[in-house]
Amino acid sequence: MAFALPVWLAVQEELLAYGGDVDPDSPSCFDDFDDEALFQMFHLTRACIAFITDSTRIRMKKVALKKPTLPVDAMVMVTLNYYAHGVSSAAIQQRLRLSQNDCLSIICTVSGVIAGMADQFISFPLTRAARTNVALKIEKLCGITDALGVLAAAHFKIRASPYEKDTFRSFVNTLGYTSVVSQFICDPDGNILSVEKCCVGSTFEQDLWESSFKGREMEDELHGQYWVIGGSSYNLSKHVLTSVSEPANEKENRFNQAHTKIHDVMRITLGSMKRRFRCLMQLGFAQEGSLDKKSNIIKACSVLHNISKKFSVPPPPVVGKIEPLHPGRQHSLAIEINPEALKARQELIDCNFSVASSRQDQPTETVTEEDL
């Protein structure tokens, strides 16, 4: 992944345009850490943290927040430390002379600011060249043509009050634990292209898609004749490509294998995010109808995930198995599939996965975390 020099320069120019009164060579509270300690404490590198701090400073000037009592770099330090470990460490609290409540307030503020940077750092391919580039990468990886990304619902554990039975049940997902769920789309390199929604864990993935901005844009063909590749909890449509539930021949089996390979990119991407930002492993107490704070943390971590990839920052090492994608919740009633969607999928299979296809003679690439 290339160093994000053009983006860095754009941020520096914007910082100056907003009256950047901070000398880039002035001391930062991060300077007291050596590189190894910095990564252990924040799961990011020094250059990446400096970029995040400058970007946050710009955004805070734009949204006209009241002047913070702490320097911006200190606020970013508190927030990144929480993201990395899921708690505010005593060392950071003591260093900055903050209480737990002070930290919670700072994390809430900075999360909202970084989440607001999504329009800059989370980008769906909008131009013809960008769409062609993503589609060709997916085709090279698995053989599926005309796809813009991988679609999945990501579940994040929360705590809910068992005394409010109806509310508690609404958070329980199909695996039996309480969660919130957001909709993600990523590209074959593991960059997040879209993140939307923050709903109770019992929400149907298909309902998330149909009510999302990106879902409506795709189904209205605002992005052209392209697919996103979704799992079994989604309905096959003209723009959501699902696997064949009961493959009848070898070419359908080959297609399903290709579908699994590209869909595995999302599993690795979300696993990498949750290792770098361990706050996503447990988002704390949640109440239905007031999920904005959880949504901001999820979106902020998605922004930082993309930034960290641009700076080629490796995630912390894997401990145990990477968490599988959530199996999803399907409607119990049979859904009538659009005949045009069935025909389009079959044509894709016949063209790209038949025995006669020359593509089958080409070696396929294996997806590993190092590739992302």
Side-chain angles (χ1 to χ4, degrees):
M1 184 68 65
F3 185 75
L5 183 58
V7 183
W8 171 273
L9 291 175
V11 169
Q12 295 303 310
E13 289 175 4
E14 197 167 4
L15 185 61
L16 291 173
Y18 273 84
D21 53 357
V22 177
D23 182 348
D25 296 323
S26 63
S28 162
C29 60
F30 293 102
D31 293 342
D32 295 335
F33 298 89
D34 62 32
D35 289 348
E36 183 178 354
L38 201 70
F39 188 83
Q40 289 178 351
M41 188 67 75
F42 308 105
H43 296 167
L44 296 165
T45 58
R46 191 175 305 279
C48 187
I49 290 171
F51 180 80
I52 292 165
T53 303
D54 283 348
S55 300
T56 303
R57 184 176 291 113
I58 292 169
R59 188 74 185 186
M60 290 180 76
K61 288 178 178 291
K62 280 185 175 180
V63 298
L65 294 174
K66 68 177 183 179
K67 188 173 179 63
T69 55
L70 274 181
V72 172
D73 60 335
M75 296 177 70
V76 171
M77 172 179 280
V78 170
T79 305
L80 294 183
N81 174 244
Y82 166 74
Y83 288 170
H85 300 283
V87 294
S88 296
S89 70
I92 296 296
Q93 291 182 51
Q94 292 169 6
R95 174 185 293 269
L96 299 175
R97 295 186 175 89
L98 297 172
S99 68
Q100 182 68 22
N101 285 337
D102 292 334
C103 290
L104 291 174
S105 177
I106 290 168
I107 292 163
C108 181
T109 298
V110 176
S111 294
V113 171
I114 297 177
M117 292 153 53
D119 57 349
Q120 186 176 2
F121 294 104
I122 298 177
S123 176
F124 201 73
L126 297 178
T127 66
R128 178 180 296 180
R131 288 192 287 262
T132 299
N133 182 53
V134 173
L136 287 175
K137 284 186 176 182
I138 292 177
E139 182 179 359
K140 181 181 179 183
L141 178 63
C142 68
I144 294 175
T145 55
D146 300 323
L148 290 183
V150 184
L151 169 69
H155 284 256
F156 303 97
K157 292 180 180 178
I158 56 93
R159 292 190 292 272
S161 172
Y163 301 106
E164 300 176 14
K165 293 185 179 179
D166 290 341
T167 299
F168 183 84
R169 280 195 293 266
S170 72
F171 281 107
V172 177
N173 61 35
T174 53
L175 292 183
Y177 63 83
T178 51
S179 68
V180 291
V181 58
S182 294
Q183 176 181 284
F184 280 74
I185 301 175
C186 76
D187 71 8
D189 295 321
N191 298 295
I192 295 169
L193 304 179
S194 173
V195 56
E196 288 188 62
K197 302 285 188 178
C198 182
C199 301
V200 296
S202 62
T203 306
F204 289 94
E205 279 80 347
Q206 183 64 31
D207 293 344
L208 276 179
W209 172 250
E210 291 177 355
S211 62
S212 70
F213 290 115
K214 202 57 63 185
R216 291 196 293 270
E217 289 176 2
M218 289 292 293
E219 298 300 347
D220 289 341
E221 300 195 348
L222 297 183
H223 298 282
Q225 298 290 327
Y226 286 95
W227 308 90
V228 287
I229 300 170
S232 60
S233 56
Y234 294 95
N235 299 335
L236 174 68
S237 72
K238 290 194 295 181
H239 297 284
V240 177
L241 183 63
T242 61
S243 58
V244 179
S245 58
E246 296 180 1
N249 49 53
E250 281 304 307
K251 60 186 175 184
E252 291 182 352
N253 282 325
R254 281 191 286 270
F255 166 74
N256 279 1
Q257 291 168 3
H259 189 282
T260 298
K261 175 183 282 189
I262 185 62
H263 216 254
D264 206 42
V265 171
M266 181 65 83
R267 179 184 68 88
I268 294 172
T269 298
L270 293 175
S272 173
M273 272 186 65
K274 289 183 177 182
R275 291 210 315 282
R276 189 186 305 280
F277 307 116
R278 293 194 64 81
C279 66
L280 297 177
M281 300 293 288
Q282 173 53 257
L283 284 173
F285 187 77
Q287 290 181 303
E288 189 173 3
S290 58
L291 298 178
D292 288 348
K293 291 180 182 179
K294 309 304 179 191
S295 177
N296 281 343
I297 291 173
I298 293 167
K299 189 170 285 188
C301 289
S302 300
V303 167
L304 299 181
H305 167 84
N306 280 0
I307 292 175
S308 67
K309 284 187 65 62
K310 291 297 184 184
F311 279 81
S312 301
V313 184
V318 176
V319 178
K321 294 182 178 179
I322 298 177
E323 182 180 346
L325 287 178
H326 195 275
R329 188 179 179 200
Q330 296 173 290
H331 288 284
S332 56
L333 297 177
I335 303 294
E336 185 177 352
I337 302 300
N338 184 331
E340 291 183 14
L342 281 169
K343 180 182 178 182
R345 183 177 68 182
Q346 194 58 52
E347 288 175 351
L348 183 151
I349 292 172
D350 292 342
C351 180
N352 295 285
F353 297 95
S354 67
V355 175
S357 173
S358 61
R359 186 181 308 283
Q360 303 308 318
D361 297 328
Q362 300 174 2
T364 55
E365 300 180 10
T366 301
V367 182
T368 64
E369 187 163 14
E370 288 72 21
D371 295 328
L372 306 184

